[in-house]
Amino acid sequence: MCGIVGYVGARVATPLLVEGLKRLEYRGYDSAGIAVMNGKGVETRKAAGKISQLESVVLSSPVHGTLGIAHTRWATHGAPTTCNAHPHHSCDDAIAVVHNGIIENASTLRKLLEDRGHEFRSETDTEVLAHLIEEHFDGSLETAVIDALRHVEGTYGIAVVSSRDPNKIVAARKGSPLLIGLGDGEHFVASDVSAILAHTRQVIYLDDGDVAVLCRDGYRILDVNAASQIDRQVSRIDWDLDMIERGGFAHFMLKEIFEQPASVENTMRGRLLAEEGTAKLGGLNMTADDLLHIENIVITACGTSWHSALIAEHMIEECARVPVEVEYASEFRYRNPIVSDRTLCIVISQSGETADTLAAMREAQQRGARAIGIVNVVGSTIARESDGGVYIHAGPEIGVASTKAFTSQVMALAMFTLKLARLRSLSVLQGRNIVQAMHQLPQQIQQILDGAPIIERIADEFKEATNFLYLGRGYNFPAALEGALKLKEISYIHAEGYPAAEMKHGPIALIDENMPVVFIAPHDSVFDKICSNIQEVKARGGRVIALTSRDEPALAGLLDYEIRIPETIDMFTPVLASVPLQLLAYYIAVKRGANVDQPRNLAKSVTVE
Ligand code: F6R
């Protein structure tokens, strides 16, 4: 979603803020702004569009000062105009606020404030905060912020400055991620560690209800309810700066696709026990007894993470024989889900901040389930609030379309499956077989990546298509869904994923010579079945692109284009299949001139419901 960065120290703030915003741009990119204390008051610059627009504005009209806050926006309330861009101000311009999240009672508060004479200049919910803090101001900015927040319903991560209490930034968090960075004679606030990684590795993740007061020489964290001081642990970030840079690739998405041999290896590193045919997952915080006590599993997630959940359902039921249900996180809490204290809830999220997923996890916990997180971002809310979990260690994922997180999620879920299944019915030989297949995957992914030019040529053939169908069966039905999602989100081509056999119950009506159909057809247990589906498409003139794993006489003359993937055991075919599908989507989008890393209307981490 939106991104926040703030700085207080001895250096000139504007370049630091703009640089931080650029690193956050993947989180939201419809408008941006900064507010800097210039020695007399709060000076603000804003621009609609990308951060480069704001950069031009500050170059032509510089702002000088060593304390400031900044924001990149993904619109929720109000159009993406300069006027609606953050920071927002109080009537007297003495207070400026940047905000991530949604103020649910904004219209009620706005009416009350207007009745008291406040004049609003934007359509945003955020502006309410600026006026509310002004209303409560009595000399101390943190006191005014705390008093104001007591009236607010909804979610927020905010940073506030004021010329009436000029040497500090006040930041507060409820439901929207925020951290503070500790430097030498300087402090930072940010919604995401990438914004400040160039300057410090020492951070404190704020919890809901925390209010941080940052000055040049120190910081304090207060509790919003008690207004008393609290201690929070300092964490050290082990990401490098080059991990969040493009490193010679045209786009982050391409870099992240090509990182998969390494990211998949990193997910497994030190966790597989080849001899015992199982995995070691210390972070789960579950004993063998706890694992045996599980009666059923509910997996909840959104988008791409939901697709890896579908693969996990298949793996766990097949290998561990425990019943699994997969739920869209956004639907889960609005039903009356059957969850007991013998239910294990697995929560999958790259960012660890997706609002729907977090809410679903809390709902499951409230109903007595134990929740474990399969998360990439260390220190994220889901990672902290879950009862245990497995970090996927894929490294920072900046491209809005998720790629390496997906393959690493499947690996983490496979390790969980191994651990659970070996305690139940899976034999040591079967376990070893799975471990052996896992060890081969990094090099097999590399083999696929080496064939990228073939996929680029196929993309050239299909770049003008208006529709695509992706079909797979068994483990590869989720891979079909994922392939279709990748294509639609970055190229804006309509694409649907279907279980291949379901095609004849409806989608077959769409097939003609203009419809490209991508079949995921490795030599697995359902290969013969998928051959019949390919014939059905061919008989109706459809154009077939197939992912295959060996020369198949049964497919002779049926394929218009063929992409070869290496052979693996059935459960890992979607890992290998997803890589060429990511590349196909990437190359098609690039050839159509789309902005691959920042597709329209999307945001990397969806922290609103
Ligand atoms: C698709 C994509 C989204 C996310 C979804 C969940 O490429 O990136 O569908 O997968 O928003 O995000 P996380 O995994 O961060 O909870």
Side-chain angles (χ1 to χ4, degrees):
M1 291 275 90
C2 313
I4 288 176
V5 59
Y7 173 77
V8 49
R11 293 191 269 171
V12 180
T14 305
L16 291 175
L17 296 175
V18 172
E19 175 209 319
L21 287 183
K22 281 188 179 164
R23 295 198 191 278
L24 290 177
E25 195 168 27
Y26 73 101
R27 296 186 58 114
Y29 31 80
D30 62 39
S31 56
I34 61 171
V36 173
M37 305 298 302
N38 68 5
K40 293 190 214 106
V42 183
E43 205 172 339
T44 297
R45 301 284 182 272
K46 299 184 189 188
K50 305 265 178 211
I51 308 299
S52 52
Q53 305 292 118
L54 176 70
E55 203 172 16
S56 310
V57 171
V58 294
L59 277 176
S60 59
S61 174
V63 218
H64 299 290
T66 57
L67 184 157
I69 53 175
H71 188 264
T72 174
R73 178 169 187 249
W74 185 84
T76 53
H77 282 58
T81 58
T82 305
C83 170
N84 286 334
H86 301 209
H88 290 287
H89 288 238
S90 53
C91 296
D92 61 2
D93 287 332
I95 295 166
V97 180
V98 294
H99 164 227
N100 289 351
I102 292 183
I103 307 300
E104 282 159 11
N105 59 342
S107 50
T108 315
L109 291 172
R110 184 171 177 141
K111 173 87 182 53
L112 284 170
L113 288 158
E114 279 172 342
D115 289 348
R116 292 183 58 80
H118 290 262
E119 282 180 20
F120 282 72
R121 291 172 258 186
S122 76
E123 305 155 63
T124 65
D125 52 340
T126 302
E127 194 182 346
V128 162
L129 293 173
H131 294 280
L132 204 55
I133 295 166
E134 180 176 41
E135 188 68 24
H136 288 277
F137 194 88
D138 192 18
S140 152
L141 185 58
E142 58 271 32
T143 308
V145 168
I146 287 171
D147 288 345
L149 290 178
R150 293 206 174 113
H151 300 271
V152 167
E153 288 162 23
T155 56
Y156 52 78
I158 57 169
V160 190
V161 293
S162 171
S163 56
R164 292 204 254 153
D165 192 2
N167 300 316
K168 59 179 72 150
I169 299 172
V170 176
R173 170 197 163 136
K174 184 182 159 207
S176 223
L178 213 55
L179 54 92
I180 58 178
L182 314 179
D184 190 10
E186 56 186 13
H187 290 95
F188 300 83
V189 59
S191 50
D192 181 327
V193 74
S194 51
I196 59 170
L197 200 56
H199 308 289
T200 181
R201 299 273 181 87
Q202 304 286 112
V203 303
I204 294 175
Y205 296 101
L206 296 182
D207 276 347
D208 281 354
D210 286 358
V211 176
V213 185
L214 309 181
C215 300
R216 184 173 159 177
D217 298 320
Y219 71 89
R220 285 179 295 136
I221 300 174
L222 308 170
D223 177 323
V224 77
N225 296 314
S228 54
Q229 199 162 327
I230 41 182
D231 276 339
R232 290 272 174 251
Q233 191 194 334
V234 178
S235 308
R236 194 183 149 74
I237 304 297
D238 55 10
W239 288 356
D240 290 333
L241 202 54
D242 59 357
M243 289 168 89
I244 57 164
E245 287 176 344
R246 281 211 310 268
F249 283 89
H251 297 96
F252 280 112
M253 182 180 176
L254 190 63
K255 176 181 175 236
E256 288 156 9
I257 292 172
F258 273 81
E259 276 172 354
Q260 289 175 107
S263 51
V264 157
E265 186 78 61
N266 287 339
T267 310
M268 295 187 286
R269 195 179 305 286
R271 288 166 158 172
L272 287 175
L273 304 176
E275 199 47 36
E276 294 95 319
T278 187
K280 190 173 63 184
L281 300 170
L284 275 185
N285 298 333
M286 291 179 81
T287 61
D289 269 356
D290 292 335
L291 286 163
L292 286 167
H293 188 73
I294 298 168
E295 220 161 48
N296 68 316
I297 295 177
V298 173
I299 314 182
T300 189
C302 301
T304 288
S305 299
W306 186 78
H307 297 154
S308 62
L310 293 177
I311 297 169
E313 175 183 30
H314 209 125
M315 293 194 292
I316 295 170
E317 290 196 340
E318 181 180 312
C319 302
R321 312 299 299 151
V322 177
V324 181
E325 248 187 283
V326 175
E327 294 272 2
Y328 279 117
S330 52
E331 294 294 319
F332 180 76
R333 67 184 157 138
Y334 294 111
R335 300 198 303 107
N336 189 7
I338 300 172
V339 168
S340 75
D341 60 359
R342 297 194 67 172
T343 303
L344 179 71
C345 179
I346 303 180
V347 182
I348 310 173
S349 176
Q350 186 287 128
S351 61
E353 299 293 352
T354 301
D356 286 322
T357 311
L358 179 59
M361 179 178 85
R362 287 176 177 159
E363 178 70 31
Q365 284 172 316
Q366 213 162 32
R367 288 168 182 257
R370 180 197 291 261
I372 61 165
I374 307 292
V375 171
N376 192 29
V377 178
V378 175
S380 56
T381 311
I382 291 174
R384 286 184 296 143
E385 288 193 18
S386 54
D387 302 298
V390 184
Y391 277 124
I392 64 171
H393 296 313
E397 192 179 67
I398 309 282
V400 165
S402 188
T403 52
K404 63 176 181 172
F406 174 73
T407 44
S408 283
Q409 285 167 349
V410 177
M411 300 308 285
L413 290 158
M415 289 188 291
F416 172 78
T417 303
L418 256 183
K419 193 169 168 65
L420 183 66
R422 288 284 291 112
L423 289 171
R424 293 177 179 243
S425 51
L426 197 78
S427 73
V428 68
L429 285 180
Q430 289 168 312
R432 281 184 196 157
N433 195 26
I434 293 174
V435 171
Q436 197 187 2
M438 291 178 88
H439 278 311
Q440 287 173 350
L441 288 170
Q443 162 256 320
Q444 291 179 318
I445 293 173
Q446 188 57 53
Q447 227 175 300
I448 297 169
L449 295 171
D450 293 342
I454 301 169
I455 300 168
E456 188 170 5
R457 281 197 291 281
I458 298 175
D460 208 44
E461 289 290 316
F462 290 96
K463 61 179 186 285
E464 307 298 347
T466 48
N467 291 287
F468 257 87
L469 206 53
Y470 286 71
L471 302 176
R473 300 185 74 145
Y475 276 112
N476 285 306
F477 162 50
L481 293 175
E482 177 58 8
L485 177 62
K486 287 291 89 91
L487 185 71
K488 65 187 143 195
E489 67 184 334
I490 60 170
S491 72
Y492 318 136
I493 295 174
H494 170 246
E496 278 192 63
Y498 248 88
E502 272 296 300
M503 177 188 63
K504 56 186 173 296
H505 299 287
I508 200 163
L510 297 169
I511 291 175
D512 62 15
E513 62 287 355
N514 296 318
M515 175 65 95
V517 185
V518 179
F519 275 97
I520 304 163
H523 199 88
D524 60 8
S525 58
V526 287
F527 175 73
D528 293 342
K529 306 282 167 206
I530 209 154
C531 279
S532 322
N533 304 135
I534 295 177
Q535 271 160 347
E536 287 154 15
V537 167
K538 229 30 228 171
R540 284 155 187 88
R543 298 164 77 196
V544 173
I545 305 161
L547 268 57
T548 59
S549 60
R550 61 167 81 163
D551 288 332
E552 301 282 8
L555 295 179
L558 289 178
L559 311 183
D560 296 283
Y561 297 90
E562 190 171 4
I563 299 170
R564 203 39 83 78
I565 58 173
E567 296 216 320
T568 180
I569 58 173
D570 285 15
M571 66 196 273
F572 297 125
T573 51
V575 172
L576 296 183
S578 65
V579 178
L581 299 184
Q582 295 163 354
L583 285 169
L584 184 66
Y586 171 80
Y587 287 124
I588 291 178
V590 169
K591 286 170 194 296
R592 289 165 72 93
N595 185 341
V596 171
D597 280 336
Q598 293 168 357
R600 71 182 179 210
N601 305 339
L602 291 175
K604 183 65 185 162
S605 150
V606 185
T607 51
V608 293
E609 201 187 327

